[in-house]
Amino acid sequence: MREEHKIKFYNGPAPRGHVAKLLRYFSEALGVEASEFFNPHRLEETCFGAVCVLYEARATAPRTLLSGDALAVVVKRHVVPTPALYEKVFERFGLVAAVKASEQGVKAFLYGNDLLLESVLEIYPPVDSYVAVVDGLDGLVVGVARWDTGSRVFRNIFDVGLYLRGFG
């Protein structure tokens, strides 16, 4: 007999607290105005279980799951920009709040592991909040981490492998 799994689903306006966290991160960590990249007044949220995606609403058709580019991911109360949004910021302003990782570090990170300091090739401050984890080989953003001073590692908050592990 096939076992059924139910996933909680939500779709609607992004909670003000999530929007505020994202705007504060843009201002404080990235040093740019979020409105240069999206309209904060048009953010919607779609949640599948414990993972939520914030996006700028482009269409309001009934039963629409996502109608624009994903801008942020909410995982365990962490509201962090998506890799695609980080790449847009970096394209215009260069690397900031980022770490470049070695090939071995990227592989481990994409499996949900933390990024060890010895796998970090370069650090682009500030690192006192979230940082984009950038593949040192191709320059693509593979996820987001947060520095843990006590353990001296970059804790994996979100990585693109989550889509495969969580939804695959």
Side-chain angles (χ1 to χ4, degrees), residues 115-121 123 147 152-154:
L115 182 63
L116 304 176
L117 197 53
E118 54 265 21
S119 295
V120 173
L121 302 173
I123 297 175
W147 175 246
R152 301 195 45 80
V153 299
F154 286 95

Side-chain angles (χ1 to χ4, degrees), residues 85-108:
L85 185 54
Y86 269 115
E87 288 175 0
K88 286 179 184 178
V89 172
F90 296 162
E91 190 175 286
R92 287 187 51 199
F93 298 104
L95 291 176
V96 60
V99 292
K100 271 193 183 174
S102 68
E103 183 177 5
Q104 188 67 25
V106 168
K107 286 179 184 177

Side-chain angles (χ1 to χ4, degrees), residues 18-163:
H18 289 172
V19 175
K21 285 180 182 180
L22 183 61
L23 295 177
R24 189 168 38 256
Y25 178 75
F26 260 77
S27 174
E28 294 174 3
L30 299 178
V32 299
E33 285 294 323
S35 60
E36 292 186 45
F37 297 94
F38 60 87
N39 182 344
H41 303 292
R42 295 185 52 139
L43 294 186
E44 297 282 321
E45 183 174 78
T46 297
C47 300
F48 303 95
V51 178
C52 297
V53 178
L54 273 67
Y55 60 95
E56 184 176 358
R58 300 258 166 80
T60 56
R63 298 180 178 255
T64 301
L65 296 181
L66 291 168
S67 63
D69 295 332
L71 300 172
V73 178
V74 182
V75 181
K76 299 179 185 171
R77 296 187 306 215
H78 297 280
V79 180
V80 295
T82 60
L85 185 54
Y86 269 115
E87 288 175 0
K88 286 179 184 178
V89 172
F90 296 162
E91 190 175 286
R92 287 187 51 199
F93 298 104
L95 291 176
V96 60
V99 292
K100 271 193 183 174
S102 68
E103 183 177 5
Q104 188 67 25
V106 168
K107 286 179 184 177
F109 192 78
L110 289 174
Y111 279 100
N113 297 310
D114 297 330
L115 182 63
L116 304 176
L117 197 53
E118 54 265 21
S119 295
V120 173
L121 302 173
E122 294 180 62
I123 297 175
Y124 300 87
V127 295
D128 57 346
S129 184
Y130 303 113
V131 294
V133 177
V134 178
D135 186 328
L137 293 177
D138 61 16
L140 296 176
V141 178
V142 297
V144 180
R146 187 169 200 146
W147 175 246
D148 182 331
T149 306
S151 300
R152 301 195 45 80
V153 299
F154 286 95
R155 293 269 179 225
N156 185 325
I157 302 299
F158 164 79
D159 64 85
V160 295
L162 177 70
Y163 294 116

